[in-house]
């Protein structure tokens, strides 16, 4: 349910904009998230999100860019929503340099997909240098952007042995997409059928049902 809608949406947006400037970084993030919930109903907060993408705090920039990515075409029009996503891409690419936000930024770039091609080179560098569990998320983002297995498949196959259930479940989802064209991916996916985690087993077996 939207936080505010209809005639109240405009005044509510102005209320938040007036308080945004002098708020703490944490409060600015909260204001962005609150307005993002209302965006399904109206597009008046778009200018605030755009400005906040240049905020001095990286977490504020991240949340503003993410809010821009989820602007409703109903609220801002199809072209407006598409342009907002395009404007968010450089913010996420820059945040790949932030150790605390790099994985979250990579996830958002992966959700954007092929339009996020400026992230390809930075993601490839991170796959080579980041800790192993983080490499997985950079590899998944790269797959969602360019659908090339050459770099990511070795990372995914190694991550099958991760101790983190969430990592293995994420790997299973991507291996499912790759398996039809890669025996290595198919074999690794089959090996996850007996994984101790229900979520991992579910993703692996759902893949086999879909083929």
């Amino acid at each position: 349910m939207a936080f505010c809608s209809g005639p109240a949406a405009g005044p509510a947006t102005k209320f938040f904009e007036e308080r945004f400037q002098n708020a703490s970084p944490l409060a600015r993030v909260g204001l962005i998230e609150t307005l993002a919930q209302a965006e399904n109903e109206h597009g008046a907060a778009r200018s605030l999100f755009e400005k906040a993408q240049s905020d001095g705090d990286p977490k504020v920039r991240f949340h503003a860019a993410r809010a821009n990515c989820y602007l409703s075409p109903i609220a801002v029009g199809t072209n407006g929503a598409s342009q907002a996503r395009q404007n968010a891409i450089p913010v996420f690419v820059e945040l790949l340099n932030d150790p605390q936000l790099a994985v979250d930024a990579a996830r958002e770039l992966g959700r954007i997909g092929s339009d996020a091609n400026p992230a390809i080179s930075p993601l490839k560098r991170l796959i080579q240098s980041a800790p192993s569990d983080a490499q997985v998320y950079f590899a998944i983002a790269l797959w969602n952007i360019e659908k090339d297995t050459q770099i990511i498949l070795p990372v995914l196959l190694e991550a099958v042995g991760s101790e983190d259930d969430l990592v293995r479940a994420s790997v299973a989802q991507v291996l499912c997409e790759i398996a039809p064209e890669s025996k290595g991916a198919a074999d690794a996916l089959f090996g996850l059928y007996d994984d101790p985690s229900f979520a991992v087993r579910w993703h692996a077996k759902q893949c086999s049902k879909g083929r």
Side-chain angles (χ1 to χ4, degrees):
M1 183 176 184
F3 182 82
C4 56
S5 61
T13 301
K14 185 176 180 180
F15 173 86
F16 288 128
E17 288 178 335
E18 289 172 349
R19 283 152 182 78
F20 187 86
Q21 196 68 33
N22 297 318
S24 69
L26 182 61
R28 294 201 296 277
V29 168
L31 291 172
I32 289 169
E33 291 299 309
T34 301
L35 281 172
Q37 294 177 40
E39 275 303 311
N40 288 332
E41 303 279 344
H42 68 96
R46 180 180 174 186
S47 63
L48 186 148
F49 295 160
E50 292 286 351
K51 292 174 184 176
Q53 287 183 163
S54 301
D55 193 273
D57 187 275
K59 289 184 180 178
V60 175
R61 295 199 299 275
F62 170 79
H63 284 275
R66 186 171 66 176
N68 253 334
C69 282
Y70 293 102
L71 284 169
S72 167
I74 297 174
V76 298
T78 301
N79 290 339
S82 176
Q83 185 60 54
R85 283 193 299 276
Q86 289 293 329
N87 292 344
I89 291 170
V91 180
F92 291 134
V93 171
E94 184 263 335
L95 290 172
L96 291 174
N97 296 313
D98 187 315
Q100 293 185 332
L101 293 170
V103 168
D104 289 333
R107 285 195 184 103
E108 297 303 325
L109 289 162
R111 290 189 180 107
I112 292 170
S114 60
D115 285 345
N117 57 77
I120 290 174
S121 292
L123 286 170
K124 287 180 177 179
R125 287 196 295 270
L126 285 167
I127 289 171
Q128 301 298 326
S129 61
S132 57
D133 281 356
Q135 285 178 7
V136 173
Y137 294 108
F138 299 136
I140 291 171
L142 186 61
W143 165 254
N144 287 328
I145 294 168
E146 71 167 359
K147 303 297 183 187
D148 184 353
T149 63
Q150 184 176 358
I151 292 178
I152 73 159
L153 187 55
V155 177
L156 298 177
L157 295 179
E158 182 177 349
V160 166
S162 171
E163 295 181 0
D164 189 322
D165 292 356
L166 290 176
V167 169
R168 296 196 310 281
S170 298
V171 168
Q173 289 179 278
V174 180
L175 288 176
C176 180
E177 297 180 41
I178 299 173
E181 300 177 5
S182 168
K183 185 177 185 302
D187 290 345
L189 194 63
F190 182 75
L192 293 173
Y193 283 10
D194 297 320
D195 192 274
S197 165
F198 171 79
V200 177
R201 296 195 305 273
W202 187 87
H203 282 298
K205 292 179 179 179
Q206 284 297 116
C207 180
S208 65
K209 289 179 182 178
R211 292 204 300 270

